[in-house]
Amino acid sequence: MSALTLVRQLGEVVLAVAIAPLFMGWIAQCRAWLQNRTAPPLTQPYRMLRKLFHKDAALAADASPLFRTAPYVLFGTMVLAAAIIPSVATDLPFARAADAIALIGLFATARVFMALAAMDIGTAFGSLGARREMMIGFLAEPAFLMVLFNAFLLYGSTALPSLVDANATRRFFIDPSVIFAEIAFIMVLLAENARIPIDNPATHLELTMIHEAMVLEYSARHLALIEWAADLKLFNYACIGFALFLPWGIAVHGADGGGALLLASAVLLVKLAFAGAALALIESLSAKLRIFRAPEYLAMAFLLAVLGLLVHLLLGANIHA
Amino acid sequence: MTVAPSISAVVAVVSRNDLNAILLLLGVWAALGFAGLARPRSVGYVARLLFPIGAVTCLGIALLAGIFLASGQGAQSLILPIGLPDLPFHLRLDPLSGFFLLLLGLAGAGISTFAAGYFRSGEGTAPGLLGLQYHVFLASMGVVILANDAYLFMVAWETMALSSYFLVTSQHRIPEIRRAGFLYLLMAHLGAVCILFSFGTMSAGNWQLTFDAMRGNTLSPGWATVAFVFALLGFGAKAGLVPMHVWLPEAHPAAPSPVSAMMSGLMLKTAIYAMLRVSFDLLHARSWQWGVVVLVLGLFSALFGAVFAAVQTDMKRLLAYSSIENIGLIFAGIGLALLFEASNLRLFAALALTAALIHALNHSFFKSLLFLATGSVLHATKQRSLGKLGGLIRSMPWVAALALVGTLAIAGLPPLNGFVSEWLLLQSFLFTPQIPHAFINMLIPLGAAALALTVALAAYVMVKFYGVIFLGQPREPLLTHAHDANWLERIGLMWLAAGCVTIGVLPQFALRAAGDVTGMLLGQSIAPVTSLWSIAPIAPQQASYSGLIFLAGIVAVIAVTFVVVRLLAHGRVRRTAAWDCGYPWQTSRMQDTAEGFGQPIRHMFGTFFRMERALPSPTDAEPRYRIQIEDRVWRALYLPVARSLQWLADEVSVVQSGRLAVYLLFSFLTLLALLVFVL
């Protein structure tokens, strides 16, 4: 690998880490507008992080080392995921370390660490949150996997760079199975990122919390890392979504000079702006489900993805043949 | 200067006679067992001296098997003129047996080291006797893997079943343990009968019991299927495939922890070995329908095991159900390999078989590790019930840290080893649309989804397992004084944990060993590993994975983040009471329990269970909440059989009047009937 690809890789990671809170701020702003509230400034997440990093960390007396390590592990996995997912260019040295299935495993690692850390102090809400988070996780994973199977059938690869290269350069048409997969993916994205209708990121009711319940015992820099990791996770999911369904504009392999990279970055920002607005719209239009309804919601996502697969197999469409 | 040539000379001599050397080491195990009888009551002699020698012997066997696999030479065979007249023992070492000997040696070394520190006086059987049973168990597993004729195979198989039966019932004064042992023995023998039928069918009526003869026999498809079904029943019963799994959740918790680890980590693998030997080597994997049956049974077992593990409240039963799940995953891989092989898709068959083999290897590491960790917990706390544990990460930091490795590995998380095999298995599911049966193609995505659900559920189960035992507040006051494992136990646990990390980060070596096996069974291996960095089973454009980059990447990011946070902000910490939303009166009993963790699963998979609930009325002064969860299989399949057997026995007992004259009459009539028959 040349120095240039390494620089490109590093640049992409830095970009992801830098603008992930901005994406979160943009969604919050859109939500506020849609709900007729005065919006917080776009930079609100950064101010929050800055405040948290400068506070003293209050740690429960019998917190184990696992509790203190978990935020770093969480942040580490999300940064690694950002290095693997092609968001601006596809010729990335790190992207070969994992295909999309391994990426699911990476997210699962983060989830398990978060759940274990939540159980460490032994408070009622922490373990409640851990249990719920793991429940959502094991229901969402099969649905996500079915979406990836669909992509494999279409583009013959689960390696994201090859997949995006194939996807971005093909002749434009819409395979009917993609629509099913897309809806399923958005449903999974909402569930995995603790958004409405599964979880409400802005809630203050402990009994209905999932993600927030797990981080109740965290403060200061640990909380900041967890929040940042959550921002990155949403950013990563959005980028996976772009890679699977909206790849146009990305600097594909072989056509990734300086100008193409600049253009791709600009296109990425535009895509994120639209995706954020769409997410805010979905969240404003739907109500939070009861936790017992979550399995039904995720089963529906799963069935949609399977339906997509069956549609593909029945119609016999095969692009790369 | 002369060291390197002399080492290579030794290697050359040994590798020429791998089989002899391995047999010699198996003999060392047997000798160690009998040596224990010299001073049967001395823990110091048996546990602290003989068991470590046994562990070194394990390493020797693993080393020899590894050298044999690496040398890439063909099969070696040997005929020992012992046994019955005209029935000498045939032995053979080929890549398949080499791979499983490697597994036996590597995981066995960790278990024996742990056992050296674990056994203490006053616990059931005398140490010397226990040592005999333990080492005979190990040696018989070795012979099962090396046997090259049905006769020796069955002798070793039964020795394995009997020695493990005595190990399971080492605390035979407890009635439940006797009952569990009996159930185990019963199922083992039902399985053995099926295996005998299978071998009988494969010998095709010419009474040649060697595997070489069976390999050469060309059975008609119908008879081949009969042999295959009997083998599946017999070996499935040993492996714990649903619905033959009923003994497993009873026997594994009953045994002492090192024995549970051996049974789950090693003995179940001999059944996998035998299944591969019969279906690929002896029967040549001829029909795709076999693959479908094995795949469906495997996936169902996997899901069944995971769902049941999620609702258990006894830590060893939880692990036993998790073994059913993992065995199910291995069988799913085998089924897929059969399906691909019979459809002439050799490369994908090799991929699925590699996944199954690597998962077998992985499971022997992480499941042994976790069973041994429960042994340490059991010794330190005298508790097996999850409801009375908690917070042990503070009093047992070593066991907690090493068990965390096993927990993450078994949950299938990168960069540890469980993920590698599950990733390979998912990859092989991706290629199923190439199978030339349209209907199967439609159903396989559902199989992949079941697999994904199982793997994700396993993560749920393991969070419950680890979280309830090691995290949170101690649920009993005594737990704060729990002592950590002793140094021999720690070495054993560390060895197994190191195996989990090594296979996960550098799977290339394990893949190479599995490649030899698939080369022998299918004539095809997955794409050879060319780089140290990543594995790409089919082609790097399609999918690749690198555990090394995962580990290095995460560690590097964590290090950079840590330094940056310290430089730009600060590292101040204030220790306070837990916040818990400002509620100051919280106690350890307010934590989520094992039952609570199982609740969503009970809610979602209610049809799997037979539940009996006793709910308190709202006015109870001392409310008690009880819920009992049972297998449906037990009532639907086993109880009717048991009842009809009982009925039959009752009917037959009519002839047993207890009077001597009547019995003499029976003898006379039999004699008469025989005379009539002869004349």
Side-chain angles (χ1 to χ4, degrees):
Chain A
M1 72 186 83
S2 68
L4 196 65
T5 55
L6 214 60
V7 168
R8 196 183 299 145
Q9 172 80 73
L10 206 64
E12 208 202 73
V13 173
V14 170
L15 180 74
V17 174
I19 67 171
L22 187 71
F23 183 46
M24 208 56 129
W26 168 243
I27 294 175
Q29 207 167 40
C30 289
R31 267 176 65 158
W33 287 335
L34 283 168
Q35 293 162 2
N36 256 341
R37 290 186 281 123
T38 311
L42 257 183
T43 51
Q44 185 58 34
Y46 296 102
R47 295 183 189 181
M48 188 74 163
L49 290 178
R50 185 166 170 274
K51 180 188 83 179
L52 286 173
F53 272 119
H54 284 95
K55 282 191 157 192
D56 278 11
L59 212 58
D62 47 5
S64 73
L66 181 72
F67 187 79
R68 297 178 70 169
T69 337
Y72 291 95
V73 175
L74 207 60
F75 190 72
T77 49
M78 288 308 152
V79 172
L80 183 64
I84 290 167
I85 302 165
S87 55
V88 175
T90 61
D91 186 18
L92 305 169
F94 264 62
R96 293 278 169 226
D99 68 336
I101 295 177
L103 213 54
I104 297 186
L106 193 62
F107 288 130
T109 309
R111 183 187 314 125
V112 166
F113 262 95
M114 193 63 245
L116 287 178
M119 294 180 81
D120 185 58
I121 307 285
T123 57
F125 288 126
S127 40
L128 190 78
R131 183 218 288 184
R132 288 177 175 172
E133 170 82 359
M134 293 309 293
M135 184 186 90
I136 303 294
F138 91 74
L139 290 167
E141 260 181 39
F144 198 178
L145 198 78
M146 286 299 104
V147 173
L148 293 178
F149 261 53
N150 202 337
F152 179 82
L153 287 186
L154 280 172
Y155 310 117
S157 171
T158 55
L160 283 170
S162 319
L163 198 153
V164 173
D165 280 347
N167 197 358
T169 51
R170 72 185 160 88
R171 190 164 47 84
F172 178 78
F173 70 95
I174 293 178
D175 190 286
S177 69
V178 169
I179 297 167
F180 290 101
E182 208 166 329
I183 299 172
F185 177 78
I186 293 172
M187 291 174 80
V188 170
L189 180 144
L190 291 172
E192 287 267 37
N193 286 285
R195 314 296 299 184
I196 291 177
I198 294 297
D199 191 6
N200 184 357
T203 188
H204 298 285
L205 272 172
E206 288 91 350
L207 277 176
T208 64
M209 285 176 176
I210 300 177
H211 177 77
E212 295 299 313
M214 291 196 296
V215 303
L216 277 175
E217 294 298 324
Y218 277 109
S219 59
R221 58 176 183 277
H222 301 131
L223 186 60
L225 283 174
I226 290 176
E227 293 293 333
W228 207 340
D231 298 350
L232 262 171
K233 186 175 179 187
L234 187 60
F235 176 85
N236 284 335
Y237 266 82
C239 287
I240 296 177
F242 298 149
L244 293 178
F245 307 112
L246 208 63
W248 299 283
I250 199 167
V252 294
H253 190 84
D256 41 9
L261 285 180
L262 269 181
L263 184 68
S265 310
V267 171
L268 177 69
L269 287 179
V270 173
K271 283 187 211 168
L272 282 175
F274 273 104
L279 273 182
L281 187 66
I282 293 174
E283 284 197 89
S284 298
L285 288 179
S286 49
K288 186 183 170 299
L289 288 173
R290 287 174 67 212
I291 188 85
F292 295 121
R293 300 288 300 277
E296 287 171 35
Y297 169 90
L298 287 162
M300 195 168 105
F302 170 72
L303 285 179
L304 279 173
V306 171
L307 214 59
L309 272 182
L310 290 183
V311 164
H312 183 86
L313 287 171
L314 281 175
L315 295 183
N318 211 339
I319 289 173
H320 56 108
Chain B
M1 176 196 102
T2 55
V3 173
S6 62
I7 287 179
S8 63
V10 168
V11 166
V13 168
V14 170
S15 61
R16 216 174 299 138
N17 296 307
D18 286 324
L19 183 53
N20 294 350
I22 288 174
L23 276 182
L24 199 69
L25 290 179
L26 293 182
V28 171
W29 269 338
L32 282 175
F34 286 104
L37 293 181
R39 291 170 65 193
R41 303 242 158 242
S42 161
V43 177
Y45 168 66
V46 175
R48 310 286 186 265
L49 180 68
L50 297 183
F51 271 84
I53 300 178
V56 174
T57 315
C58 282
L59 279 185
I61 287 185
L63 189 68
L64 287 172
I67 289 175
F68 170 74
L69 284 176
S71 69
Q73 48 184 321
Q76 305 173 1
S77 45
L78 184 71
I79 300 176
L80 284 185
I82 46 177
L84 294 180
D86 282 349
L87 275 177
F89 287 163
H90 296 73
L91 294 136
R92 183 172 128 120
L93 178 65
D94 55 19
L96 178 61
S97 40
F99 183 85
F100 279 88
L101 278 177
L102 187 68
L103 180 157
L104 178 73
L106 285 178
I111 300 173
S112 285
T113 315
F114 181 92
Y118 182 83
F119 288 119
R120 41 204 77 174
S121 54
E123 288 192 358
T125 314
L129 212 53
L130 209 62
L132 175 66
Q133 293 156 1
Y134 182 96
H135 287 108
V136 167
F137 186 29
L138 268 178
S140 61
M141 282 193 276
V143 178
V144 162
I145 292 170
L146 286 173
N148 197 28
D149 65 282
Y151 170 53
L152 176 60
F153 183 91
M154 287 314 292
V155 170
W157 188 262
E158 286 297 285
T159 314
M160 184 174 90
L162 281 178
S163 53
S164 54
Y165 164 74
F166 285 116
L167 284 168
V168 167
T169 54
S170 77
Q171 300 203 338
H172 51 83
R173 298 198 191 285
I174 303 172
E176 288 88 56
I177 288 184
R178 285 204 300 274
R179 197 171 160 273
F182 176 72
L183 184 63
Y184 168 49
L185 200 62
L186 190 70
M187 289 304 290
H189 281 94
L190 283 178
V193 170
C194 291
I195 296 168
L196 268 180
F197 280 144
S198 173
F199 282 138
T201 316
M202 278 189 287
S203 68
N206 58 13
W207 296 110
Q208 287 292 309
L209 290 175
T210 59
F211 286 169
D212 291 331
M214 290 181 193
R215 210 171 280 130
N217 285 339
T218 41
L219 298 176
S220 69
W223 281 115
T225 304
V226 169
F228 177 78
V229 168
F230 274 121
L232 183 62
L233 285 174
F235 298 127
K238 188 59 116 189
L241 211 55
V242 177
M244 289 86 81
H245 67 284
V246 285
W247 62 272
L248 208 142
E250 307 297 327
H252 284 213
S257 289
V259 177
S260 313
M262 281 228 288
M263 288 175 72
S264 191
L266 307 179
M267 187 183 77
L268 302 187
K269 304 307 170 325
T270 60
I272 303 287
Y273 158 80
M275 196 64 215
L276 292 176
R277 173 70 72 194
V278 168
S279 48
F280 285 94
D281 190 21
L282 302 185
L283 290 173
H284 313 296
R286 268 185 293 177
S287 158
W288 63 269
Q289 285 94 337
W290 299 357
V292 174
V293 171
V294 175
L295 179 63
V296 169
L297 272 181
L299 283 176
F300 184 73
S301 299
L303 190 58
F304 182 94
V307 167
F308 268 82
V311 297
Q312 296 307 311
T313 53
D314 175 314
M315 59 180 178
K316 290 181 82 176
R317 270 180 90 90
L318 184 149
L319 289 181
Y321 274 111
S322 152
S323 288
I324 297 178
E325 177 226 320
N326 282 287
I327 288 293
L329 292 181
I330 297 171
F331 268 89
I334 296 175
L336 215 49
L338 280 167
L339 190 54
F340 281 130
E341 169 73 3
S343 311
N344 269 324
L345 298 164
R346 285 269 155 77
L347 181 61
F348 304 142
L351 177 60
L353 193 58
T354 305
L357 287 167
I358 302 279
H359 198 69
L361 183 64
N362 291 342
H363 183 245
S364 70
F365 275 96
F366 51 61
K367 188 48 69 64
S368 308
L369 174 59
L370 290 178
F371 262 123
L372 296 179
T374 62
S376 291
V377 170
L378 198 60
H379 262 172
T381 64
K382 310 276 181 289
Q383 287 296 351
R384 257 172 46 186
S385 165
L386 291 171
K388 297 188 172 168
L389 291 164
L392 290 177
I393 196 171
R394 289 168 204 108
S395 47
M396 305 176 74
W398 276 93
V399 176
L402 294 167
L404 181 63
V405 176
T407 304
L408 297 178
I410 200 169
L413 300 177
L416 294 170
N417 61 352
F419 179 74
V420 175
S421 45
E422 279 162 12
W423 184 77
L424 288 170
L425 198 54
L426 280 169
Q427 290 295 336
S428 48
F429 264 98
L430 284 175
F431 295 101
T432 45
Q434 312 221 6
I435 294 174
H437 306 283
F439 188 58
I440 303 279
N441 284 348
M442 299 278 178
L443 290 180
I444 292 270
L446 290 180
L451 178 70
L453 185 65
T454 308
V455 172
L457 202 51
Y460 183 93
V461 171
M462 291 331 288
V463 166
K464 165 181 168 170
F465 172 82
Y466 193 81
V468 173
I469 296 178
F470 292 105
L471 302 177
Q473 300 296 326
R475 290 181 177 77
E476 296 280 309
L478 281 175
L479 296 183
T480 42
H481 307 296
H483 57 85
D484 211 340
N486 62 31
W487 63 274
L488 273 170
E489 293 179 333
R490 279 182 210 170
I491 292 177
L493 292 175
M494 271 192 261
W495 171 260
L496 294 169
C500 290
V501 176
T502 311
I503 301 176
V505 174
L506 291 170
Q508 285 83 349
F509 302 109
L511 281 181
R512 162 103 211 271
D516 289 341
V517 180
T518 56
M520 170 198 150
L521 294 180
L522 306 168
Q524 171 86 49
S525 305
I526 57 171
V529 179
T530 46
S531 94
L532 187 66
W533 291 100
S534 66
I535 55 172
I538 301 297
Q541 301 85 281
Q542 285 193 324
S544 55
Y545 164 68
S546 164
L548 197 60
I549 292 185
F550 261 61
L551 188 64
I554 294 178
V555 169
V557 174
I558 289 175
V560 169
T561 315
F562 187 78
V563 171
V564 168
V565 167
R566 285 294 148 103
L567 284 182
L568 294 185
H570 59 88
R572 286 193 296 275
V573 164
R574 191 159 45 85
R575 289 277 182 176
T576 63
W579 182 54
D580 200 23
C581 304
Y583 183 75
W585 298 285
Q586 76 133 6
T587 69
S588 65
R589 306 204 38 96
M590 293 178 192
Q591 299 172 89
D592 211 352
T593 56
E595 287 86 352
F597 234 85
Q599 189 268 340
I601 309 295
R602 285 206 307 271
H603 199 78
M604 275 181 257
F605 296 93
T607 44
F608 273 70
F609 315 112
R610 218 188 83 81
M611 278 188 274
E612 278 179 22
R613 288 178 218 246
L615 298 175
S617 78
T619 52
D620 264 348
E622 283 183 357
R624 292 191 78 80
Y625 175 88
R626 197 180 63 83
I627 183 161
Q628 195 169 358
I629 294 172
E630 274 181 37
D631 240 343
R632 280 186 185 276
V633 179
W634 186 249
R635 277 174 190 266
L637 187 65
Y638 287 88
L639 278 189
V641 173
R643 271 199 218 107
S644 50
L645 265 180
Q646 184 68 46
W647 175 81
L648 208 65
D650 287 345
E651 293 298 305
V652 170
S653 72
V654 170
V655 299
Q656 294 195 322
S657 58
R659 285 170 59 185
L660 196 59
V662 177
Y663 291 133
L664 284 174
L665 181 69
F666 286 151
S667 307
F668 177 69
L669 287 177
T670 312
L671 209 58
L672 214 61
L674 284 175
L675 276 174
V676 169
F677 180 70
V678 172
L679 298 175

